Structures are given as structure tokens and as C-alpha cells.
Amino acid sequence: MNNQSSLKSIVINYALLLAGISIAFNLMLFFLDMHYQQSQASGIVGIVIMIGVIIYAFIQFKKNNEGFISLSESLKIGLGISAVAALIGVVYSFILSEFLDPNLMQKAIDFQMEKMRIENPEMTQDQLENIRSMQEKFSGPLIRSAFQIIGSLFIGFIISLIGGLIVKKVRPE
């Protein structure tokens, strides 16, 4: 029972830490007016932050658990952190897109379309308009939230699986 409460407290504490660091990073991008560009570098930084927090949570759990952590505990911790942080991230995204920058999605679509036009000058205006209409269909708050949660859980699972295999130390029977 003590192990379960320890697991739950690790998940909550480190999910709050991950969400806090991620929101601070995203606010930095917002103040630099780079929040709608979805650059590869900012995505990598986000994943590195997630890896760091989840692995650190594993290490803390292992310290609190007499040096032992199983793969299943690692998966529970990693997915728990990912899920809670993703839900907090969805709330932040809603606040960002509805209050801080109501034109966020239009800016993001315009930026991506301009980038695509420059990278693919052979594309016709018709093709670009079809792509724009598809992007607009998938830019609603519910679809964005679903993709955000699914993406976070997927990346959290991969990090937890690999990290769990690295740090696991099973208690002898």
C-alpha cells in the first residue's frame, strides 16, 4: 500500500513539474512570438524536458523504494506523468488560443502555408487551398486536445519503456 501511495505522489509531483516547465517554455515562445511556428527545435526541447522529468521521477521512485523499480512501475509512472501533464497542457493551450492569442490557429496555418509555398513552388493554388481547408478542419479545440493527449501518451510510453528498461531493478523474491 505504501508503494502505491509513493507511486501516486511521484506521478502527481513530477507531472506538475513537467507541466510547469513546459508551460514556462511555451510562455517564453509566446513572448518571443514564436509559439505558432511549431519549429523542430522547440519540439525537440519539449521532448528533452519530458525525458528529463520522467527519468528523474524513476530515479526518485527507485531511491524511495530501496533501490528497486520494475518495468511495470516505470510504465505506470511515465504514463501517469504524461497523462496528467497533457491534461494540464490542454488547459494551457485552451487559455492560450482563446484568451492570450485568439488568432493563434490562423497565424499557425498562415505560417505553415507560406512555408509550404516556399518549399514547394511547383504546388498549384488549388493544392494549397485543399491543404489549408484540411488544416482548418483539424484545428478545432477538441481535435487539437485529442492529438495533444494522444501524442503525449505515445511519447511518454516510448520514454517510459526505454527508460524503464534502463533503470529497472527487480526486487529479489
Side-chain angles (χ1 to χ4, degrees), residues 24-162:
F25 177 68
N26 283 302
L27 281 172
M28 178 195 71
L29 292 174
F30 173 73
F31 290 123
L32 293 172
D33 199 32
M34 295 171 61
H35 60 291
Y36 59 89
Q37 295 177 5
Q38 302 169 347
S39 73
Q40 188 175 9
S42 65
I44 290 170
V45 169
I47 290 173
V48 167
I49 291 169
M50 192 174 193
I51 290 169
V53 171
I54 290 175
I55 297 299
Y56 190 67
F58 292 168
I59 293 167
Q60 285 304 116
F61 180 82
K62 195 173 175 180
K63 272 185 194 175
N64 297 343
N65 201 26
E66 301 169 2
F68 298 106
I69 185 169
S70 68
L71 181 59
S72 67
E73 289 168 329
S74 298
L75 288 171
K76 287 176 190 175
I77 291 169
L79 287 172
I81 290 170
S82 299
V84 173
L87 292 173
I88 294 169
V90 164
V91 172
Y92 165 75
S93 295
F94 178 77
I95 292 169
L96 175 67
S97 65
E98 297 299 317
F99 300 109
L100 297 176
D101 188 0
N103 298 322
L104 171 67
M105 290 316 300
Q106 193 57 48
K107 283 184 196 176
I109 291 171
D110 290 344
F111 180 81
Q112 292 299 323
M113 294 305 296
E114 183 62 22
K115 187 175 167 185
M116 193 175 302
R117 190 184 62 72
I118 291 169
E119 290 174 356
N120 304 300
E122 71 282 351
M123 286 187 93
T124 66
Q125 189 63 32
D126 234 11
Q127 291 171 319
L128 289 170
E129 287 305 316
N130 286 340
I131 292 170
R132 177 183 286 280
S133 70
M134 287 301 287
Q135 285 180 330
E136 287 171 352
K137 287 178 188 174
F138 287 105
S139 67
L142 288 177
I143 293 174
R144 281 193 331 245
S145 298
F147 280 127
Q148 189 174 351
I149 291 169
I150 291 167
S152 180
L153 288 173
F154 177 74
I155 293 169
F157 175 76
I158 300 299
I159 294 168
S160 300
L161 182 62
I162 295 169

